């Protein structure tokens, strides 16, 4: 089940892209592989979430995000911006989007790579199961050939 974006959200995103990037050039987003605020992630998992979970402030559904610090749900900057207000008052600056399951780090203004940061994987997996009905598949870090890989291997059902 996918949520449809409202027309005003699509127009806003398109106008931002048009102003930032010439139409004949593409761009690539490279998610970061670390964050200075990973220690603020809650060890608890959210409960009672669904794709219809509304923003706790304004009631918006669809374009909402999960704060990884306290598992509260607020709408994104493209809706009413309630998560922006929440993040200002919260030590955790990491949020997980219900729309595309991306993880944004407000402390670095960047996306994070949930496949290479083990601390992000439990929350990501939780929302992935809600959205797709199956566990997320993460790379086996022992087979990645990365000298810096931690001794963490996730085996999913």
């Amino acid at each position: 089940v996918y949520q449809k974006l409202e027309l005003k959200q699509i127009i806003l995103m398109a106008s931002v892209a048009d102003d930032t990037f010439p139409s004949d050039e593409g761009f690539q987003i490279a998610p970061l592989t670390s964050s200075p605020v990973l220690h603020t992630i809650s060890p608890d998992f959210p409960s009672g979430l669904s794709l219809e979970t509304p923003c706790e402030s304004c009631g918006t559904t669809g374009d909402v995000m999960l704060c990884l610090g306290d598992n509260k749900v607020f709408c994104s900057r493209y809706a009413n911006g309630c998560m922006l207000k929440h993040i200002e008052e919260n030590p955790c600056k990491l949020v997980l989007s219900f729309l595309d399951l991306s993880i944004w780090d407000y402390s670095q203004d960047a996306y994070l790579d949930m496949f290479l940061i083990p601390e992000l994987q439990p929350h990501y997996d939780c929302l992935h199961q809600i959205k797709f009905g199956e566990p997320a598949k993460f790379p086996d870090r022992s087979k990645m050939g990365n000298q810096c890989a931690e001794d963490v291997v996730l085996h999913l059902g």
Side-chain angles (χ1 to χ4, degrees):
V1 176
Y2 294 93
Q3 298 294 318
K4 292 183 180 179
L5 292 176
E6 293 182 21
L7 183 57
K8 68 179 182 177
Q9 293 168 305
I10 295 169
I11 292 170
L12 174 63
M13 289 186 284
S15 67
V16 169
D18 287 346
D19 291 344
T20 308
F21 302 101
S23 60
D24 60 340
E25 295 181 26
F27 66 97
Q28 180 177 1
I29 296 172
L32 302 179
T33 58
S34 65
S35 170
V37 295
L38 291 174
H39 67 281
T40 64
I41 295 174
S42 171
D44 300 321
F45 296 105
S47 62
L49 291 182
S50 77
L51 294 178
E52 299 299 321
T53 300
C55 171
E56 293 185 24
S57 289
C58 71
T60 294
T61 59
D63 192 4
V64 295
M65 309 177 104
L66 175 71
C67 175
L68 300 186
D70 58 13
N71 294 318
K72 293 186 182 263
V73 175
F74 295 98
C75 63
S76 80
R77 68 179 86 199
Y78 300 110
N80 293 321
C82 296
M83 183 58 82
L84 290 170
K85 296 171 198 154
H86 179 71
I87 289 297
E88 289 174 3
E89 303 163 356
N90 195 306
C92 184
K93 307 299 181 193
L94 306 175
V95 297
L96 174 58
S97 169
F98 278 43
L99 286 178
D100 62 6
L101 301 184
S102 62
I103 298 178
W104 183 257
D105 182 345
Y106 280 99
S107 74
Q108 302 184 94
D109 286 328
Y111 288 104
L112 297 180
D113 190 332
M114 74 288 293
F115 296 106
L116 297 179
I117 304 174
E119 295 90 340
L120 301 175
Q121 293 173 357
H123 280 83
Y124 176 84
D125 183 55
C126 178
L127 203 53
H128 187 279
Q129 288 187 50
I130 291 168
K131 188 162 185 155
F132 298 109
E134 63 184 23
K137 293 184 172 99
F138 297 106
D140 182 341
R141 294 183 63 139
S142 68
K143 296 179 182 177
M144 293 175 65
N146 181 350
Q147 302 272 338
C148 299
E150 299 172 16
D151 294 328
V152 175
V153 179
L154 297 176
H155 297 282
L156 301 173

